[in-house]
Amino acid sequence: MKKVLLLLLVFCLFVTGCEKNNSKDILKELEKKMNQSNGYLLTGTLSVHNNDEVYHYKVESLYQKDDKYRITLTNEANDHTQVILKNSDGVYVLTPSLNKSFRFQSEWPYNHSQIYLLDALIKDLEEDSQKEMEKKKDNYVFQVKCNYPTNAKLMTQKIVISKDYKPIKISVFDKDGVEAMSMDFENVQYSPKISKDAFDIDTIMDTNMETEVKETSSLEDIVYPLFVPSGTKLVGEEKIEKTNGERVIMNYDGEKSFLLVEETADVFQEFTVIPTSGEPYFLMDTLGVMTDNSLSWTSGGVEYYLVSDVMSSEELVQVAQSIGGIVSMK
């Protein structure tokens, strides 16, 4: 009997040890793939969930060693394309339909999780000492913590890796275990052929200039936030004419006061780069700009600007989420 118990104990220790080694070995192989390649190309579909609504994006992520990134996101509902670009000059959010770009001095993409970047995925796997792994058929499934600083509701992610060490799917869950977003990978290439102008701003703008936003001279509807912090209310609203359209300024006063500006979007005649502080911020249907006290974005031909001296970034996002059903995914 003692021999049987001893054998069972040894077997359990052996299985546990193998499982730990498997987890480490898989991570080593992923790192090896990254280190031995000149970069990678990922394509797939990003799905962002907001209650009963799901928004889908076609995604192409191109990475080249020497710190170059190009993330192309196309909203499947309206074919609107934006690009996050990091090259030797800085970090940009390109909006070809408006013929403009924001330029950031930013630590992106290293300061938080990124659902569409392989090296960010590896970083999350490395940093979570409590990660769990199980093998399902020919795939490896990891349960890992995620890091989205301005959206504390996003807590964990499930990462599915194939036997040839390529990501298959990443799902991000909130604190209640509800899926908030997911990325389904269709194609993963290590060491892809990368053209010399793949990270050139002018080339990217020329390639994606097909879809343009139709300029309008008036705001058909003023959109009010469905969520307003307790003790705060709308105390002033002013509509003014601008050169090529209209602007509405809404002043909310109270314990969590803020200013909301909505205006008709301008399409620049010449490509314009706008320097800005802050970071790229991914919203429900568009890429915006997040600073310490403001959040701005363009959606449906309307530009939105939300600012407050007393609200946190997460509180600003809560208000923004209630304007047109926006959900954050920084």
Side-chain angles (χ1 to χ4, degrees):
M1 185 65 181
K2 289 181 178 180
K3 287 183 178 181
V4 173
L5 291 173
L6 181 60
L7 287 172
L8 286 172
L9 178 61
V10 171
F11 177 76
C12 288
L13 291 172
F14 174 77
V15 171
T16 303
C18 287
E19 201 64 31
K20 288 181 179 178
N21 289 334
N22 281 339
S23 177
K24 292 178 181 178
D25 289 344
I26 294 162
L27 186 52
K28 284 181 180 179
E29 286 297 328
L30 281 170
E31 292 172 337
K32 184 178 178 181
K33 289 275 191 181
M34 280 285 298
N35 293 333
Q36 291 181 345
S37 68
N38 70 325
Y40 60 75
L41 174 66
L42 312 176
T43 61
T45 301
L46 170 66
S47 301
V48 182
H49 302 255
N50 181 37
N51 298 321
D52 295 330
E53 295 181 294
V54 183
Y55 294 76
H56 300 287
Y57 289 83
K58 295 177 183 176
V59 179
E60 181 186 271
S61 300
L62 181 65
Y63 163 74
Q64 185 179 45
K65 280 187 176 178
D66 299 327
D67 208 30
K68 294 180 179 179
Y69 295 86
R70 189 191 72 198
I71 318 300
T72 305
L73 299 129
T74 302
N75 188 323
E76 292 187 357
N78 56 21
D79 206 33
H80 180 60
T81 295
Q82 288 178 286
V83 180
I84 308 177
L85 174 69
K86 180 178 175 63
N87 59 22
S88 57
D89 297 322
V91 178
Y92 301 83
V93 169
L94 309 176
T95 306
S97 60
L98 297 177
N99 206 18
K100 75 174 182 179
S101 170
F102 290 102
R103 182 176 184 270
F104 305 82
Q105 291 298 327
S106 167
E107 293 301 316
W108 185 94
Y110 308 114
N111 46 4
H112 47 75
S113 297
Q114 303 285 351
I115 197 170
Y116 34 62
L117 293 181
L118 182 57
D119 36 332
L121 177 157
I122 293 174
K123 182 181 178 183
D124 286 344
L125 286 168
E126 287 177 334
E127 293 184 347
D128 187 0
S129 59
Q130 304 298 316
K131 61 180 173 288
E132 299 178 0
M133 190 275 289
E134 63 176 324
K135 189 172 182 180
K136 289 188 175 181
K137 296 182 179 180
D138 291 330
N139 300 327
Y140 304 100
V141 182
F142 289 87
Q143 299 289 341
V144 188
K145 294 176 184 176
C146 58
N147 175 32
Y148 291 95
T150 56
N151 193 340
K153 293 180 180 179
L154 303 181
M155 302 291 291
T156 60
Q157 54 189 331
K158 182 170 73 173
I159 300 171
V160 182
I161 305 292
S162 69
K163 64 180 180 181
D164 55 348
Y165 307 106
K166 294 181 179 180
I168 296 175
K169 182 173 183 175
I170 300 176
S171 298
V172 179
F173 301 91
D174 66 17
K175 60 184 180 180
D176 298 317
V178 177
E179 187 177 63
M181 58 186 174
S182 62
M183 178 74 191
D184 290 276
F185 296 92
E186 297 167 4
N187 184 34
V188 179
Q189 296 181 36
Y190 290 103
S191 293
K193 185 177 180 181
I194 301 175
S195 63
K196 63 180 181 180
D197 55 0
F199 302 93
D200 177 71
I201 290 181
D202 293 332
T203 301
I204 295 170
M205 291 295 294
D206 290 343
T207 303
N208 293 282
M209 279 297 290
E210 298 173 2
T211 303
E212 295 185 0
V213 170
K214 292 182 179 179
E215 285 188 293
T216 178
S217 59
S218 63
L219 291 168
E220 295 183 5
D221 296 300
I222 299 174
V223 183
Y224 300 92
L226 298 178
F227 171 81
V228 176
S230 178
T232 302
K233 63 181 180 179
L234 179 65
V235 296
E237 178 181 320
E238 181 183 9
K239 179 182 283 190
I240 58 178
E241 299 293 324
K242 61 176 193 172
T243 304
N244 297 316
E246 294 180 332
R247 177 183 294 121
V248 174
I249 302 172
M250 288 173 272
N251 184 19
Y252 286 79
D253 196 17
E255 296 177 15
K256 299 286 185 178
S257 60
F258 64 89
L259 192 72
L260 175 61
V261 179
E262 300 177 10
E263 63 180 288
T264 51
D266 294 323
V267 179
F268 291 88
Q269 295 300 312
E270 296 183 0
F271 175 53
T272 303
V273 177
I274 304 169
T276 184
S277 60
E279 297 212 355
Y281 202 93
F282 189 73
L283 306 174
M284 176 61 77
D285 65 345
T286 188
L287 282 163
V289 177
M290 169 70 83
T291 71
D292 290 338
N293 68 341
S294 70
L295 180 59
S296 58
W297 68 96
T298 302
S299 178
V302 178
E303 293 184 354
Y304 298 88
Y305 179 69
L306 179 63
V307 61
S308 173
D309 290 330
V310 295
M311 294 172 67
S312 66
S313 296
E314 192 166 351
E315 288 171 329
L316 286 172
V317 169
Q318 281 185 290
V319 175
Q321 284 176 338
S322 70
I323 302 173
I326 291 171
V327 163
S328 155
M329 197 201 73
K330 184 177 177 182

